[in-house]
Amino acid sequence: MKNKYDFELGFYEGLHKRMPKDTKVVAILAHLYTESGSIDHGLKMDRKLARLLPEDPTVQYNLACSLALKGRLADAVAALHCAVSLGYKDVHWMRNDPDLCDLLEYPAFVQLVHDLEMG
């Protein structure tokens, strides 16, 4: 069965084969894989992007989202700590991001959010 992401995935997978270190292509693929339900592939691309752009807080945040979607809660919180240390500060979104819903009652996440809100 075709899904609405097949064309875009095919296009960006082709670009990725030709330009494997193009961070924009990797970021788009990570997003498309996750949106289409291919969480494993999305996580793989998010990990690659984190290697290519280790100082980017949004990249670390997105890696945390992929890890949370895979149920890797401790790893997700570690990636969130990294994102925060690099300057990510949107606590409101962190609390409401559907990708992080499995973390909402996870003690390390609760503590991280509390610490951020307390400044």
Side-chain angles (χ1 to χ4, degrees), residues 3 5 24-25 28 31 35-36 42 51 59 67 83 87 102 115 119:
N3 78 43
Y5 298 100
K24 289 181 182 174
V25 172
I28 290 168
H31 174 75
E35 284 294 307
S36 69
R51 286 191 304 274
V59 167
L67 289 163
D102 287 348
D115 292 348

Side-chain angles (χ1 to χ4, degrees), residues 17-114:
K17 285 180 182 161
R18 292 193 306 279
M19 302 179 300
K21 292 187 179 182
D22 185 304
T23 56
K24 289 181 182 174
V25 172
V26 175
I28 290 168
L29 266 177
H31 174 75
L32 288 171
Y33 281 134
T34 301
E35 284 294 307
S36 69
S38 296
I39 306 302
D40 289 330
H41 287 98
L43 176 57
K44 182 178 176 182
M45 288 295 115
D46 280 329
R47 285 187 190 278
K48 180 175 185 169
L49 198 56
R51 286 191 304 274
L52 293 170
L53 298 171
E55 303 297 317
D56 186 315
T58 302
V59 167
Q60 296 297 326
Y61 181 86
N62 288 338
L63 174 59
C65 289
S66 286
L67 289 163
L69 289 169
K70 287 296 296 172
R72 309 263 314 268
L73 305 186
D75 292 335
V77 172
L80 286 172
H81 274 285
C82 183
V84 167
S85 74
L86 293 170
Y88 189 89
K89 300 287 186 233
D90 192 346
V91 182
H92 176 74
W93 179 244
M94 216 184 278
R95 280 185 172 278
N96 293 287
D97 188 334
D99 291 346
L100 300 180
C101 68
D102 287 348
L103 289 176
L104 292 178
E105 295 181 19
Y106 188 69
F109 177 78
V110 172
Q111 185 64 52
L112 172 64
V113 169
H114 177 267

